[in-house]
Amino acid sequence: MSIRNIPTTPFSDQKPGTSGLRKKVRVFQQAHYLENFVQAIFDSIAAPKGATLVLGGDGRYYNQTAIQTILKMAAANGFGKVLVGRGGILSTPAASCVIRKHKTFGGIILSASHNPGGADGDFGIKYNSSNGGPATETVTEAIYAKSKTLGSYRILEAEDVSLYKFGSTLLGNMQVEVIDPVSDYAELMESLFDFTAIRALFASGFRIKFDAMHAVNGPYAQEILEHRLGAAPGSVMNALPLEDFGGGHPDPNLTYAHELVEIMYDEDDAPDFGAASDGDGDRNMILGNHFFVTPSDSLALLAANATLIPGYKQGLAGVARSMPTSAAVDRVAQALNIPCYETPTGWKFFGNLMDAGKVTLCGEESFGTGSSHVREKDGLWAVLFWLNIIAVRKQSVELIVREHWAKYGRNFYSRYDYEGLPTEAANGVMQHLRASFATLGGTQFGRYTVKTCDDFSYTDPVDKSISTAQGVRIIFSDGSRIVFRLSGTGTEGATLRVYLEAFEADEEHHHLDAQVALKDLIDIALQISELRQRTGREQPTVIT
Ligand code: VG1
Ligand code: CO
């Protein structure tokens, strides 16, 4: 077996987005494309000789091929050991858990998360540091810079390694250890939640439906919910991970998880609790019988009920949410008298806060919640958190949420996504908005008056790094907000996201449908942005 130094020329488009490098599978299939990016990672992180790496992915098309390449490159770049999930599988939160538990130097996660998979779908790769979290912007920028100047990469000439047999094999001088992708993670969940109480809940006849969407969480959910907690067999649907997610779009929201939504809104046979997770298992959607919980409310509710959970009974150090996420959790933080941080979109911004012990719970409006138990958002963790709360409070999902609104007020919330726009048109909307800042202040739209508008900029309280242009905010005098952002995870054209939020203290109005309550704000958003004129789109692609 010999190490080869392969000459290569740089690609100009290897800039990681919100969560790693995401491209069409066929872009990754170009000669040297994956190898260049992996070498850029290895050159940037400068791991000491003999270091250990974690490797796994969400099982989508190209996962296995990429894993074999990365293993050979890791061996050629001086790593001593790679822990790889059996079959090349590790959910994103499980990878984070394994990095932390085994104190490895870092890990590589292969996933394009909620983006569709298959030969014509998307693929992705990201690097996580020794804290188990996504590399910070400083690291991803270094990787990008390296990718633009790369002249060669190192790879071991060797046979593929079997990924199905547990235990160690030698690849050159490097050990490849195939591990069970589920066990470390399941053990961590048992240490946080009251499994006895949740088991009793299921034994009492409480019915759950978990939609794994043919993505990575199927085996995790089956092991934890059905085997360890005794949920009825078949409670986990679409449990078999498929390379193309069965042709579906593994994004747990009301549009893409419609199969689950139909079950949860069934006239006479709806289960008590419904949940879904995404391609790589880090997102979650929570449903009750005929009831949808917005991710922003879910975060607030977990924070408000945290002390009911064994792993959080000491209370929370603080909470954090991404800027576009509703301020529902801010109200809980205020009541608990703990700090609440507002960060740019993307989990990489929570890591420093958690490492510094400033926050315990974090969340995003995009169906992501998590805590300092790992450094990624965690879909199944959120489900178990909810089940534990229900097991203690013995109330329905709907009642728990309604009581929460009655106590804290309701932040009506919705996100409109305009996917696959021509890039120039989407940029045009953002430029127009920025150009309008000067004249918007003080303008009155019906009952709303613009208080401030800006482009969100964040200074990390720990390392003081600054991230600018993180989304345009229009804030009204009553605290209502409209936010505009361009997505950093898409692979086709541009996706414009419009986030809408209005606070309602009066319980009399809490029953309203969010689309009704937000109608005026939606009209204002369209008017201010000239979105329809500039993009030619009458309707959003997805409303969440
Ligand atoms: C989206 C979400 C963001 C999330 C990111 C990664 O990013 O808005 O909140 O952190 O996806 O989630 P963007 O840039 O497209 O808005 V996942 O589950 O893809 O790792
Ligand atoms: Co994801």
Side-chain angles (χ1 to χ4, degrees):
M1 278 189 269
S2 63
I3 292 173
R4 293 184 58 197
N5 211 17
I6 312 277
T8 185
T9 43
F11 293 88
S12 58
D13 65 345
Q14 298 196 323
K15 187 177 168 59
T18 312
S19 178
L21 182 69
R22 285 190 199 170
K23 299 282 174 194
K24 291 274 164 218
V25 166
R26 54 176 184 276
V27 172
F28 272 102
Q29 283 171 328
Q30 295 172 85
H32 310 308
Y33 193 89
L34 173 73
E35 292 86 343
N36 274 22
F37 190 70
V38 172
Q39 190 64 52
I41 294 176
F42 289 159
D43 287 353
S44 313
I45 61 174
K49 209 172 159 40
T52 302
L53 197 64
V54 171
L55 179 61
D58 63 13
R60 67 178 60 223
Y61 185 84
Y62 208 56
N63 194 62
Q64 298 261 0
T65 315
I67 288 205
Q68 295 294 345
T69 302
I70 297 168
L71 284 174
K72 290 169 197 171
M73 288 186 66
N77 278 274
F79 283 91
K81 186 174 180 178
V82 175
L83 300 176
V84 51
R86 184 169 183 268
I89 295 292
L90 277 173
S91 75
T92 290
S96 186
C97 160
V98 173
I99 293 171
R100 294 171 67 77
K101 181 171 175 184
H102 299 276
K103 299 190 169 46
T104 72
F105 186 79
I108 291 180
I109 303 177
L110 304 173
S111 170
S113 187
H114 55 286
N115 299 21
D120 297 321
D122 292 347
F123 190 73
I125 171 167
K126 68 172 181 163
Y127 178 72
N128 280 32
S129 308
S130 60
N131 70 347
T136 60
E137 274 205 326
T138 318
V139 176
T140 57
E141 269 157 28
I143 295 172
Y144 177 46
K146 194 80 218 175
S147 78
K148 289 191 288 191
T149 60
L150 207 74
S152 65
Y153 61 85
R154 291 159 69 78
I155 189 160
L156 186 77
E157 235 176 22
E159 291 292 303
D160 283 1
V161 180
S162 163
L163 300 176
Y164 289 92
K165 212 171 97 256
F166 288 125
S168 281
T169 42
L170 219 53
L171 185 65
N173 295 323
M174 186 184 84
Q175 253 188 69
V176 177
E177 188 177 335
V178 175
I179 60 167
D180 176 7
V182 180
S183 58
D184 285 336
Y185 177 82
E187 197 179 287
L188 178 59
M189 294 302 112
E190 285 212 44
S191 76
L192 295 172
F193 299 108
D194 186 346
F195 271 38
T196 310
I198 302 175
R199 216 175 282 126
L201 178 72
F202 287 139
S204 74
F206 185 88
R207 287 165 61 216
I208 178 179
K209 205 71 175 169
F210 182 99
D211 190 352
M213 302 188 87
H214 287 302
V216 77
N217 251 355
Y220 292 85
Q222 275 183 324
E223 170 62 21
I224 294 172
L225 298 174
E226 295 186 10
H227 302 158
R228 299 198 185 196
L229 291 169
S235 294
V236 182
M237 60 191 268
N238 298 321
L240 185 69
L242 297 173
E243 283 199 326
D244 66 347
F245 309 117
H249 195 138
D251 199 355
N253 59 42
L254 295 175
T255 303
Y256 294 125
H258 57 87
E259 205 184 332
L260 174 72
V261 173
E262 275 153 35
I263 293 170
M264 295 308 298
Y265 283 80
D266 188 88
E267 282 294 311
D268 38 45
D269 196 33
D272 303 291
F273 186 89
S277 59
D278 70 335
D280 60 334
D282 58 357
R283 295 184 177 201
N284 72 89
M285 174 168 70
I286 303 292
L287 299 166
N289 184 326
H290 290 79
F291 195 80
F292 166 66
V293 186
T294 71
S296 297
D297 280 347
S298 180
L299 172 65
L301 211 133
L302 301 191
N305 290 277
T307 51
L308 301 179
I309 311 296
Y312 304 90
K313 65 172 185 295
Q314 319 289 1
L316 309 173
V319 291
R321 62 165 172 85
S322 66
M323 181 274 282
T325 304
S326 98
V329 73
D330 302 37
R331 295 176 180 278
V332 176
Q334 204 177 10
L336 295 174
N337 199 20
I338 55 171
C340 176
Y341 295 84
E342 185 178 37
T343 62
T345 293
W347 213 260
K348 58 177 173 261
F349 295 100
F350 294 135
N352 279 348
L353 296 172
M354 290 194 271
D355 287 352
K358 291 180 183 295
V359 304
T360 313
L361 293 193
C362 307
E364 295 190 281
E365 50 62 42
S366 53
F367 298 83
T369 14
S371 87
S372 49
H373 68 290
V374 289
R375 292 292 182 275
E376 288 279 7
K377 51 188 184 278
D378 190 342
L380 206 43
W381 167 90
V383 171
L384 293 168
F385 206 125
W386 264 96
L387 290 171
N388 200 152
I389 292 173
I390 293 169
V392 175
R393 289 185 50 170
K394 302 190 175 16
Q395 290 169 309
S396 70
V397 172
E398 176 169 354
L399 194 59
I400 290 173
V401 175
R402 290 201 186 280
E403 283 190 2
H404 185 92
W405 290 338
K407 182 165 178 193
Y408 297 96
R410 178 171 179 188
N411 292 67
F412 282 103
Y413 191 84
S414 188
R415 186 178 100 182
Y416 282 35
D417 291 335
Y418 296 81
E419 296 175 344
L421 295 176
T423 309
E424 313 80 68
N427 287 338
V429 172
M430 295 303 286
Q431 272 154 18
H432 165 71
L433 283 164
R434 291 191 183 104
S436 313
F437 287 171
T439 51
L440 270 179
T443 311
Q444 200 171 336
F445 297 90
R447 64 192 163 107
Y448 293 104
T449 307
V450 178
K451 188 173 152 213
T452 52
C453 37
D454 65 2
D455 202 343
F456 183 61
S457 159
Y458 177 68
T459 304
D460 186 296
V462 181
D463 67 16
K464 308 293 176 209
S465 59
I466 297 172
S467 305
T468 55
Q470 296 295 323
V472 165
R473 305 191 283 188
I474 297 166
I475 302 173
F476 298 91
S477 52
D478 71 344
S480 300
R481 297 190 307 163
I482 304 173
V483 174
F484 297 86
R485 255 190 86 243
L486 293 180
S487 155
T489 56
T491 59
E492 254 174 47
T495 293
L496 181 68
R497 306 200 195 284
V498 186
Y499 310 79
L500 306 138
E501 174 180 4
F503 179 68
E504 177 60 70
D506 186 353
E507 201 182 337
E508 289 282 297
H509 299 139
H510 286 171
H511 66 280
L512 280 178
D513 180 81
Q515 298 306 319
V516 174
L518 294 167
K519 170 87 178 61
D520 291 352
L521 275 185
I522 294 162
D523 290 341
I524 297 168
L526 292 173
Q527 187 187 334
I528 295 179
S529 64
E530 299 180 356
L531 193 149
R532 284 185 171 150
Q533 301 88 308
R534 289 173 180 273
T535 65
R537 286 283 179 84
E538 284 301 310
Q539 297 299 333
T541 333
V542 181
I543 297 180
T544 49

